[in-house]
Amino acid sequence: TQGVSSAASDVYKRQEHTTHHHEGESESDERARHLPSKAAAVHEIICEHGEKELRRDAMALLGSALAGGITMSTSLVGEGVLMAYLPKGDPFFLISTLGYPLGFMLVITASQQLFSENTVTPVLPVMTKPSLYGLWRLVRLWMLVLAGNVCGAAVAAWVFAVLPVFPGPVDAAFQELGVKLMEYDAFTMFSKAILSGWLIATLVWVLSSIDQGKILMIFIVTYLMGLGDFPHIIVGSVEVLYLMSVSYTHLTLPTILLV
């Protein structure tokens, strides 16, 4: 009996030691101990998350994407409000751009659907095991999320433009942001958007490899996007749709969605 108790005690101590040894490790670090590298562990994590997204119900995806589009409007609000009450000039641009990451921080931490995130997460499982069915599921997800994000952006833009939500200086700042975006020619905007997409894709990969400091990482990457004027498809949609709503205040929300 004493021998069994002693053996059980040794096993317990070894388990306790292992628990303390692994405490504080991220999920990717934990998996990396059983895989060739940490990169392989991150790849596996993203594939699992992507597979879950591909299996989600269409209405669940659309609803989450609609909420994500509305939430992304807070990037326009954050940057516009700061811009409205700060003096003009390059040093103050560094401060007003601090509001740009707000939408990304809210959407990602709330696990709402964002189209630009889905250029990585659901793509990896499809690339790992290519099939026509997998490709169809990917295109289905993209269509639903993009449609939901843009509709959400249109709802937010219309509400900001039509209802007396913000004072005049803030409305003027919103319009200035929209005009500034539309000043780029198509090729320049496309080129900048490539870098924007790459930054978001990199962010998705990094967030899957860490357990702490995620908010800070989201802020750093998206703040850089704001500083570089790298347009984001959903934030840019909010800005342009707001500009349309202000220019054509007689337009109803369904009309804006159709346009």
Side-chain angles (χ1 to χ4, degrees):
T1 304
Q2 289 180 347
V4 173
S5 299
S6 177
S9 177
D10 289 342
V11 169
Y12 175 77
K13 287 179 180 178
R14 283 197 298 269
Q15 289 177 339
E16 188 178 28
H17 174 74
T18 302
T19 300
H20 286 307
H21 179 70
H22 296 152
E23 188 177 355
E25 281 190 340
S26 66
E27 183 182 359
S28 58
D29 289 330
E30 179 73 20
R31 294 195 187 204
R33 292 187 294 109
H34 309 290
L35 292 169
S37 66
K38 184 170 181 176
V42 175
H43 184 278
E44 184 179 89
I45 292 170
I46 295 176
C47 279
E48 289 178 3
H49 292 171
E51 187 61 34
K52 289 179 182 178
E53 295 300 315
L54 291 169
R55 291 177 180 173
R56 287 187 67 180
D57 176 72
M59 292 306 297
L61 283 172
L62 190 60
S64 180
L66 182 65
I70 295 173
T71 304
M72 284 303 293
S73 68
T74 56
S75 281
L76 173 64
V77 174
E79 186 174 12
V81 169
L82 290 175
M83 182 177 171
Y85 297 110
L86 285 170
K88 303 295 181 183
D90 291 340
F92 299 103
F93 169 72
L94 297 175
I95 301 174
S96 63
T97 308
L98 290 171
Y100 185 78
L102 181 59
F104 296 91
M105 294 163 69
L106 293 175
V107 166
I108 295 174
T109 54
S111 297
Q112 295 173 345
Q113 288 291 331
L114 183 61
F115 179 73
S116 53
E117 277 191 286
N118 284 303
T119 55
V120 176
T121 308
V123 173
L124 283 185
V126 175
M127 292 179 64
T128 302
K129 297 179 180 179
S131 68
L132 288 177
Y133 178 61
L135 180 61
W136 155 245
R137 291 197 302 166
L138 178 61
V139 172
R140 163 186 169 273
L141 183 144
W142 278 350
M143 292 172 62
L144 288 169
V145 173
L146 181 59
N149 279 173
V150 173
C151 287
V155 170
W158 185 78
V159 168
F160 294 167
V162 175
L163 301 183
V165 180
F166 299 102
V170 176
D171 285 329
F174 290 171
Q175 293 180 52
E176 186 176 339
L177 288 169
V179 170
K180 182 181 178 182
L181 176 63
M182 295 306 294
E183 286 176 348
Y184 293 119
D185 60 81
F187 182 71
T188 301
M189 191 178 296
F190 179 75
S191 302
K192 283 177 165 287
I194 291 175
L195 186 52
S196 177
W198 174 75
L199 285 170
I200 291 294
T202 303
L203 176 62
V204 171
W205 191 275
V206 171
L207 292 179
S208 298
S209 67
I210 59 176
D211 282 341
Q212 299 179 346
K214 291 188 175 184
I215 292 289
L216 178 61
M217 186 57 63
I218 296 169
F219 173 80
I220 291 172
V221 172
T222 54
Y223 181 58
L224 177 61
M225 287 169 56
L227 290 179
D229 263 343
F230 305 135
H232 182 268
I233 184 170
I234 307 305
V235 180
S237 295
V238 178
E239 294 172 350
V240 174
L241 288 169
Y242 175 83
L243 203 57
M244 285 178 54
S245 302
V246 170
S247 301
Y248 303 98
T249 51
H250 62 281
L251 292 181
T252 62
L253 180 58
T255 306
I256 292 174
L257 290 174
L258 287 173
V259 173

